[in-house]
Amino acid sequence: MAKTGSTLPTSSPELLLPHWDPEQPRRAQLEAGLRDSIRDGRLRPNSRLPSSRALALELGVSRRLVVEVYEQLAAEGYVLPQRGSGTRVAPRAQPVGAGSPSGALAPEPIPALVSGIDLFPGAPDLSLFPRRAWGRALRQALAELPDARLGYGEFAGTTELRVALAEHLGRVRAAAAEPERVVVTAGYQQGLRLFCQLVQGRGGRRIAVEDPGYPVAGWTIESEGLEVVPVPIDDDGIDVDALAAVAPDAVVITPAHSLPLGAVLAPSRRRQLVAWAREHRALVLEDDYDAELRYDRGPAGTLQGLAPDVVILAGTASKTLAPALRLGWLLLPAELAPIAIFGRTMADGGGPRIEERALAELIASGGFDRHVRACRQRYRCKRAVLLEAIAAELPGARVRGIAAGLHVVLELPSGSDEEAVVAAAAAAGVHAQGLGAFTRQHRQPPALVLGYGLPGERELRQAVAVLASAARADRVS
Ligand SMILES: Cc1ncc(COP(=O)(O)O)c(C=O)c1O
């Protein structure tokens, strides 16, 4: 991306001209270049971008490529497509810079199933774990870590992993990332716990969550002694007007793919949420748990990339590799990183350095990217099998959620007794959850949350047949 002066009144094509790197796809380069220009203010709020035709001509790329890049940035909230007048940079899309802010217990754990078909939505396909590549990475970590680095220390995570994650999150998730602001955590759950402590440290008491949402998030917040404030969510993500109305101190959201409804946070809501957080000095935790698993297009870039001053990005290896690793990370504003590092040090004295180093190796070698690509193919296929089976067994049934992640929501006919259907299916060996199990206050029409990560294709078909007969039996009872 050519660095021109910061006083350009409009976005002339020269401003957008990247220095092409022959090793990287042009689409990704143009997307990253535009995003950076908007973030650092070279492309001003409300300025008009060149038409897709003009820019394509100027850059010597296809018009389709430019259109796709504009669409992607619109989905992330950086630009606004305007009917008849082209595409403009969204108002105040760039971070505000120096103005950043300062500083009921969980039920019994769910027992692992020993038989039957498990449609638990959070479970990845454990047979996909890249044992060979992981073994190689572990051996390399053991060979390269000197004795001196086997002692206490590196509380924020192994240096190599912080570097690898910053590069990865910048490249793949359009995050605004530097290694110094990355803190490695024991899964997302510890990241959320550290977030709660940050909120508490600023005097906050109330954290909003999506409702329906990830039950473990609510339980974790409560176990830190804070109040959970449920906010409704629909197919465009969290309802920001409703959020503003309950005035919490912080909010936890899943903008790339919500659990369980499967929504992407809409561009207008992204901007609205960031404006609200800045105005009220509220912190936002972006739970990016399964964002790399998108099957119809690239995932929406992170909200953190749009507003790194108020958004903390939380990631995990639980969906792309395995929950057993207990490896996750936070990407924080610079002034909050030391507080989170202190929290991690106090919680458990830091993570497992050899495994962290192995993950760094897997990411840096390209093995992680290859593995995620293979996972995407597998899950795309499983999702298609599940949807085909639903269409065949339950014609006309509505399935909610974008083509992403490891779960869908299957709506039941209105008036169905969700819990009765869940119980009948469980009695027949198919273990699914009702939407009610994810809901605190804001009830939705009866539905089932179906995870397709764990079962094989044949099991998915069998499971749908059982669910369909349970749903039919409920209608006649
Ligand atoms: C919404 C959501 N966030 C995060 C996670 C991952 O949590 P962890 O990294 O603690 O395994 C899950 C797992 O089910 C989830 O559903």
Side-chain angles (χ1 to χ4, degrees), residues 120 122 186-189 214 254 259 287 289 316 318-319 323 326-327:
F120 178 64
Y188 164 77
Q189 206 176 337
Y214 181 39
T254 48
L259 183 95
D287 176 1
Y289 68 114
T316 177
S318 291
K319 310 297 151 187
R326 304 315 302 142
L327 284 172

Side-chain angles (χ1 to χ4, degrees), residues 63-104:
R63 185 168 173 215
R64 183 79 228 135
L65 183 147
V66 178
V67 168
E68 282 174 8
V69 167
Y70 281 4
E71 282 172 357
Q72 176 72 16
L73 294 178
E76 293 170 12
Y78 286 87
V79 302
L80 290 173
Q82 284 173 333
R83 202 176 280 277
S85 67
T87 300
R88 286 179 187 276
V89 177
R92 284 199 72 214
Q94 83 280 33
V96 290
S100 53
S102 57

Side-chain angles (χ1 to χ4, degrees), residues 436-454:
F438 298 78
T439 308
R440 283 182 176 244
Q441 268 176 19
H442 302 96
R443 294 207 76 80
Q444 302 265 336
L448 302 176
V449 182
L450 307 179
Y452 48 85
L454 272 181

Side-chain angles (χ1 to χ4, degrees), residues 99-114:
S100 53
S102 57
L105 292 184
E108 288 295 300
I110 302 158
L113 287 163
V114 287

Side-chain angles (χ1 to χ4, degrees), residues 109-405:
I110 302 158
L113 287 163
V114 287
S115 63
I117 301 174
D118 186 356
L119 299 173
F120 178 64
D125 186 336
L126 301 173
S127 73
L128 294 180
F129 184 72
R131 287 173 186 264
R132 276 223 203 121
W134 184 252
R136 271 195 305 274
L138 264 182
R139 278 193 297 280
Q140 185 146 350
L142 280 172
E144 289 181 2
L145 268 179
D147 292 350
R149 288 183 64 194
L150 297 181
Y152 295 108
E154 300 186 52
F155 300 112
T158 308
T159 310
E160 290 85 351
L161 181 55
R162 296 170 80 197
V163 170
L165 282 170
E167 184 280 328
H168 180 79
L169 295 172
R171 177 169 52 84
V172 174
R173 300 295 303 120
E178 286 133 28
E180 302 72 40
R181 297 189 290 110
V182 174
V183 178
V184 179
T185 58
Y188 164 77
Q189 206 176 337
Q190 189 183 49
L192 173 59
R193 208 170 274 290
L194 296 178
F195 176 77
C196 291
Q197 292 167 8
L198 287 173
V199 173
Q200 245 169 340
R202 292 151 52 101
R205 302 267 336 127
R206 301 167 67 243
I207 300 188
V209 296
E210 296 161 335
D211 187 33
Y214 181 39
V216 175
W219 301 332
T220 305
I221 293 166
E222 283 167 346
S223 74
E224 283 291 318
L226 296 171
E227 184 189 338
V228 171
V229 185
V231 172
I233 174 168
D234 57 30
D235 291 332
D236 281 333
I238 195 163
D239 179 338
V240 185
D241 289 330
L243 174 74
V246 292
D249 302 303
V251 59
V252 177
I253 49 166
T254 48
H257 180 231
S258 70
L259 183 95
L261 293 185
V264 182
L265 187 61
S268 59
R269 291 201 183 166
R270 285 176 184 247
R271 289 190 294 276
Q272 200 189 350
L273 180 65
V274 167
W276 169 81
R278 285 179 174 153
E279 189 185 340
H280 297 277
R281 296 182 63 256
L283 284 178
V284 179
L285 186 71
E286 175 171 23
D287 176 1
D288 210 36
Y289 68 114
D290 70 353
E292 290 189 41
L293 303 175
R294 174 107 193 217
Y295 313 124
D296 53 344
R297 48 173 290 181
T302 58
L303 190 68
Q304 187 274 348
L306 189 65
D309 52 324
V310 283
V311 181
I312 296 173
L313 180 66
T316 177
S318 291
K319 310 297 151 187
T320 46
L321 288 168
L325 290 177
R326 304 315 302 142
L327 284 172
W329 48 88
L330 293 177
L331 175 59
L332 303 111
E335 72 280 10
L336 298 182
I339 308 173
I341 295 169
F342 180 74
R344 168 95 216 228
T345 313
M346 289 300 103
D348 56 7
R353 195 146 337 130
I354 298 169
E355 280 83 352
E356 288 179 5
R357 176 66 185 258
L359 180 57
E361 169 58 31
L362 195 66
I363 294 172
S365 67
F368 182 73
D369 282 347
R370 273 194 298 282
H371 169 69
V372 172
R373 274 199 297 276
C375 289
R376 265 189 226 119
Q377 239 174 333
R378 188 88 183 91
Y379 293 134
R380 184 185 290 120
C381 193
K382 283 193 181 186
R383 185 174 186 275
V385 165
L386 178 66
L387 296 191
E388 268 170 35
I390 290 172
E393 295 278 352
L394 291 161
R398 180 175 174 233
V399 174
R400 291 174 78 175
I402 57 163

